[in-house]
Short mmCIF file of all heavy atoms in Angstrom, two decimals:
data_model
loop_
_atom_site.label_atom_id
_atom_site.label_comp_id
_atom_site.label_asym_id
_atom_site.label_seq_id
_atom_site.Cartn_x
_atom_site.Cartn_y
_atom_site.Cartn_z
N ILE A 30 11.40 -22.70 -2.68
CA ILE A 30 10.43 -21.59 -2.68
C ILE A 30 9.60 -21.59 -1.39
O ILE A 30 9.43 -20.57 -0.73
CB ILE A 30 9.53 -21.64 -3.93
CG1 ILE A 30 10.37 -21.37 -5.17
CG2 ILE A 30 8.39 -20.63 -3.82
CD1 ILE A 30 9.67 -21.67 -6.50
N ALA A 31 9.12 -22.79 -1.02
CA ALA A 31 8.31 -22.90 0.21
C ALA A 31 9.15 -22.47 1.42
O ALA A 31 8.67 -21.75 2.30
CB ALA A 31 7.81 -24.32 0.39
N TYR A 32 10.43 -22.86 1.42
CA TYR A 32 11.31 -22.49 2.54
C TYR A 32 11.46 -20.96 2.63
O TYR A 32 11.37 -20.39 3.71
CB TYR A 32 12.69 -23.15 2.40
CG TYR A 32 13.68 -22.60 3.37
CD1 TYR A 32 13.68 -22.99 4.71
CD2 TYR A 32 14.60 -21.59 2.98
CE1 TYR A 32 14.56 -22.43 5.62
CE2 TYR A 32 15.48 -21.05 3.88
CZ TYR A 32 15.47 -21.46 5.20
OH TYR A 32 16.35 -20.88 6.10
N LEU A 33 11.71 -20.33 1.45
CA LEU A 33 11.96 -18.88 1.45
C LEU A 33 10.75 -18.11 2.01
O LEU A 33 10.91 -17.12 2.72
CB LEU A 33 12.25 -18.38 0.02
CG LEU A 33 13.61 -18.85 -0.56
CD1 LEU A 33 13.78 -18.35 -1.99
CD2 LEU A 33 14.76 -18.36 0.33
N PHE A 34 9.54 -18.61 1.69
CA PHE A 34 8.36 -17.95 2.23
C PHE A 34 8.16 -18.26 3.72
O PHE A 34 7.83 -17.39 4.52
CB PHE A 34 7.11 -18.36 1.43
CG PHE A 34 6.90 -17.53 0.18
CD1 PHE A 34 7.27 -18.05 -1.04
CD2 PHE A 34 6.38 -16.26 0.26
CE1 PHE A 34 7.12 -17.27 -2.21
CE2 PHE A 34 6.22 -15.48 -0.88
CZ PHE A 34 6.58 -16.00 -2.12
N ALA A 35 8.37 -19.56 4.07
CA ALA A 35 8.14 -19.95 5.46
C ALA A 35 9.14 -19.28 6.37
O ALA A 35 8.79 -18.89 7.51
CB ALA A 35 8.23 -21.47 5.59
N ALA A 36 10.38 -19.14 5.93
CA ALA A 36 11.42 -18.52 6.78
C ALA A 36 11.37 -17.01 6.70
O ALA A 36 12.14 -16.33 7.38
CB ALA A 36 12.80 -19.03 6.35
N LYS A 37 10.46 -16.46 5.89
CA LYS A 37 10.35 -15.01 5.70
C LYS A 37 11.68 -14.37 5.35
O LYS A 37 12.11 -13.39 5.96
CB LYS A 37 9.75 -14.34 6.93
CG LYS A 37 8.34 -14.87 7.26
CD LYS A 37 7.71 -14.04 8.38
CE LYS A 37 6.25 -14.42 8.55
NZ LYS A 37 5.62 -13.67 9.62
N THR A 38 12.36 -14.97 4.39
CA THR A 38 13.70 -14.51 4.00
C THR A 38 13.70 -13.07 3.51
O THR A 38 14.50 -12.25 3.94
CB THR A 38 14.29 -15.42 2.93
OG1 THR A 38 14.11 -16.79 3.35
CG2 THR A 38 15.75 -15.16 2.69
N TRP A 39 12.81 -12.77 2.57
CA TRP A 39 12.67 -11.40 2.11
C TRP A 39 11.27 -10.97 2.52
O TRP A 39 10.29 -11.32 1.87
CB TRP A 39 12.82 -11.33 0.59
CG TRP A 39 14.20 -11.66 0.14
CD1 TRP A 39 15.32 -10.91 0.32
CD2 TRP A 39 14.62 -12.82 -0.58
NE1 TRP A 39 16.41 -11.53 -0.23
CE2 TRP A 39 16.02 -12.70 -0.80
CE3 TRP A 39 13.96 -13.95 -1.08
CZ2 TRP A 39 16.75 -13.66 -1.46
CZ3 TRP A 39 14.71 -14.91 -1.76
CH2 TRP A 39 16.07 -14.77 -1.93
N TRP A 40 11.17 -10.22 3.59
CA TRP A 40 9.84 -9.91 4.09
C TRP A 40 9.60 -8.42 4.22
O TRP A 40 10.53 -7.63 4.10
CB TRP A 40 9.65 -10.61 5.46
CG TRP A 40 8.24 -10.99 5.69
CD1 TRP A 40 7.41 -10.45 6.60
CD2 TRP A 40 7.50 -11.99 5.00
NE1 TRP A 40 6.18 -11.06 6.52
CE2 TRP A 40 6.20 -11.99 5.53
CE3 TRP A 40 7.78 -12.85 3.93
CZ2 TRP A 40 5.21 -12.84 5.05
CZ3 TRP A 40 6.78 -13.70 3.48
CH2 TRP A 40 5.50 -13.69 4.03
N PHE A 41 8.34 -8.05 4.44
CA PHE A 41 8.01 -6.62 4.61
C PHE A 41 8.53 -6.11 5.95
O PHE A 41 8.66 -6.90 6.87
CB PHE A 41 6.50 -6.37 4.61
CG PHE A 41 5.71 -7.34 3.78
CD1 PHE A 41 4.83 -8.23 4.38
CD2 PHE A 41 5.83 -7.34 2.41
CE1 PHE A 41 4.09 -9.10 3.63
CE2 PHE A 41 5.07 -8.22 1.65
CZ PHE A 41 4.20 -9.10 2.26
N PRO A 42 8.74 -4.83 6.07
CA PRO A 42 9.02 -4.27 7.40
C PRO A 42 7.75 -4.41 8.25
O PRO A 42 6.65 -4.47 7.73
CB PRO A 42 9.33 -2.80 7.12
CG PRO A 42 8.72 -2.52 5.80
CD PRO A 42 8.69 -3.79 5.04
N PRO A 43 7.88 -4.51 9.58
CA PRO A 43 6.69 -4.71 10.42
C PRO A 43 5.67 -3.57 10.28
O PRO A 43 6.06 -2.41 10.07
CB PRO A 43 7.26 -4.76 11.86
CG PRO A 43 8.68 -4.34 11.77
CD PRO A 43 9.12 -4.45 10.35
N PRO A 44 4.39 -3.86 10.37
CA PRO A 44 3.36 -2.84 10.23
C PRO A 44 3.31 -1.93 11.45
O PRO A 44 3.72 -2.32 12.54
CB PRO A 44 2.07 -3.63 10.12
CG PRO A 44 2.33 -4.92 10.81
CD PRO A 44 3.80 -5.19 10.63
N ILE A 45 2.79 -0.70 11.27
CA ILE A 45 2.70 0.23 12.39
C ILE A 45 1.27 0.68 12.63
O ILE A 45 1.04 1.68 13.30
CB ILE A 45 3.62 1.47 12.15
CG1 ILE A 45 3.27 2.17 10.84
CG2 ILE A 45 5.08 1.11 12.17
CD1 ILE A 45 3.85 3.58 10.72
N THR A 46 0.29 -0.03 12.07
CA THR A 46 -1.11 0.35 12.31
C THR A 46 -1.91 -0.93 12.60
O THR A 46 -1.49 -2.04 12.26
CB THR A 46 -1.76 1.01 11.08
OG1 THR A 46 -1.63 0.11 9.95
CG2 THR A 46 -1.13 2.33 10.72
N GLN A 47 -3.08 -0.73 13.20
CA GLN A 47 -3.99 -1.84 13.45
C GLN A 47 -4.38 -2.46 12.11
O GLN A 47 -4.42 -3.69 11.97
CB GLN A 47 -5.24 -1.30 14.20
CG GLN A 47 -6.20 -2.35 14.65
CD GLN A 47 -5.52 -3.42 15.54
OE1 GLN A 47 -4.58 -3.11 16.27
NE2 GLN A 47 -5.97 -4.64 15.44
N HIS A 48 -4.64 -1.59 11.14
CA HIS A 48 -4.98 -2.09 9.79
C HIS A 48 -3.86 -2.96 9.24
O HIS A 48 -4.10 -3.98 8.64
CB HIS A 48 -5.20 -0.87 8.87
CG HIS A 48 -5.13 -1.20 7.42
ND1 HIS A 48 -6.14 -1.84 6.74
CD2 HIS A 48 -4.10 -1.03 6.52
CE1 HIS A 48 -5.78 -2.04 5.47
NE2 HIS A 48 -4.57 -1.53 5.32
N GLY A 49 -2.61 -2.56 9.51
CA GLY A 49 -1.43 -3.29 9.03
C GLY A 49 -1.41 -4.72 9.59
O GLY A 49 -1.09 -5.68 8.90
N HIS A 50 -1.75 -4.85 10.88
CA HIS A 50 -1.77 -6.18 11.52
C HIS A 50 -2.85 -7.07 10.89
O HIS A 50 -2.61 -8.23 10.61
CB HIS A 50 -1.99 -6.06 13.02
CG HIS A 50 -0.87 -5.33 13.74
ND1 HIS A 50 0.42 -5.79 13.74
CD2 HIS A 50 -0.86 -4.18 14.43
CE1 HIS A 50 1.18 -4.94 14.42
NE2 HIS A 50 0.42 -3.95 14.86
N LEU A 51 -4.03 -6.49 10.69
CA LEU A 51 -5.13 -7.22 10.08
C LEU A 51 -4.74 -7.63 8.65
O LEU A 51 -5.00 -8.76 8.21
CB LEU A 51 -6.42 -6.38 10.03
CG LEU A 51 -7.02 -6.00 11.35
CD1 LEU A 51 -8.16 -5.02 11.18
CD2 LEU A 51 -7.55 -7.24 12.08
N TYR A 52 -4.13 -6.69 7.95
CA TYR A 52 -3.69 -6.91 6.57
C TYR A 52 -2.72 -8.09 6.50
O TYR A 52 -2.85 -8.97 5.66
CB TYR A 52 -3.06 -5.62 6.08
CG TYR A 52 -2.59 -5.61 4.66
CD1 TYR A 52 -3.32 -4.94 3.68
CD2 TYR A 52 -1.40 -6.21 4.30
CE1 TYR A 52 -2.89 -4.90 2.37
CE2 TYR A 52 -0.95 -6.18 3.00
CZ TYR A 52 -1.71 -5.53 2.03
OH TYR A 52 -1.25 -5.49 0.74
N ASP A 53 -1.74 -8.06 7.42
CA ASP A 53 -0.74 -9.12 7.43
C ASP A 53 -1.36 -10.48 7.75
O ASP A 53 -0.96 -11.51 7.19
CB ASP A 53 0.37 -8.80 8.43
CG ASP A 53 1.38 -7.82 7.86
OD1 ASP A 53 1.05 -7.19 6.82
OD2 ASP A 53 2.46 -7.64 8.43
N ALA A 54 -2.33 -10.47 8.68
CA ALA A 54 -2.99 -11.74 9.05
C ALA A 54 -3.72 -12.31 7.82
O ALA A 54 -3.65 -13.49 7.54
CB ALA A 54 -3.97 -11.50 10.20
N GLN A 55 -4.40 -11.42 7.10
CA GLN A 55 -5.11 -11.86 5.88
C GLN A 55 -4.13 -12.33 4.82
O GLN A 55 -4.36 -13.32 4.13
CB GLN A 55 -5.96 -10.70 5.36
CG GLN A 55 -6.70 -10.97 4.04
CD GLN A 55 -7.79 -12.02 4.19
OE1 GLN A 55 -8.22 -12.32 5.29
NE2 GLN A 55 -8.21 -12.58 3.08
N PHE A 56 -3.01 -11.64 4.73
CA PHE A 56 -1.97 -12.02 3.76
C PHE A 56 -1.46 -13.42 4.09
O PHE A 56 -1.26 -14.26 3.20
CB PHE A 56 -0.83 -11.00 3.82
CG PHE A 56 0.22 -11.23 2.77
CD1 PHE A 56 0.08 -10.69 1.49
CD2 PHE A 56 1.34 -12.00 3.05
CE1 PHE A 56 1.06 -10.92 0.52
CE2 PHE A 56 2.33 -12.23 2.08
CZ PHE A 56 2.17 -11.68 0.82
N MET A 57 -1.21 -13.68 5.39
CA MET A 57 -0.71 -14.99 5.81
C MET A 57 -1.72 -16.09 5.50
O MET A 57 -1.34 -17.16 5.02
CB MET A 57 -0.39 -14.99 7.32
CG MET A 57 1.02 -14.60 7.68
SD MET A 57 2.33 -15.09 6.54
CE MET A 57 2.71 -16.71 7.07
N ARG A 58 -3.00 -15.82 5.79
CA ARG A 58 -4.04 -16.81 5.49
C ARG A 58 -4.00 -17.18 4.00
O ARG A 58 -4.02 -18.33 3.63
CB ARG A 58 -5.43 -16.26 5.85
CG ARG A 58 -5.81 -16.39 7.30
CD ARG A 58 -7.30 -16.12 7.50
NE ARG A 58 -7.61 -14.69 7.39
CZ ARG A 58 -7.56 -13.84 8.42
NH1 ARG A 58 -7.24 -14.27 9.61
NH2 ARG A 58 -7.84 -12.57 8.24
#
Side-chain angles (χ1 to χ4, degrees):
I30 293 168
Y32 169 78
L33 292 178
F34 276 101
K37 299 188 172 180
T38 311
W39 293 291
W40 212 248
F41 330 114
I45 57 165
T46 56
Q47 187 56 32
H48 162 77
H50 296 299
L51 295 172
Y52 183 103
D53 280 14
Q55 176 68 16
F56 185 87
M57 269 326 274
R58 277 193 285 273

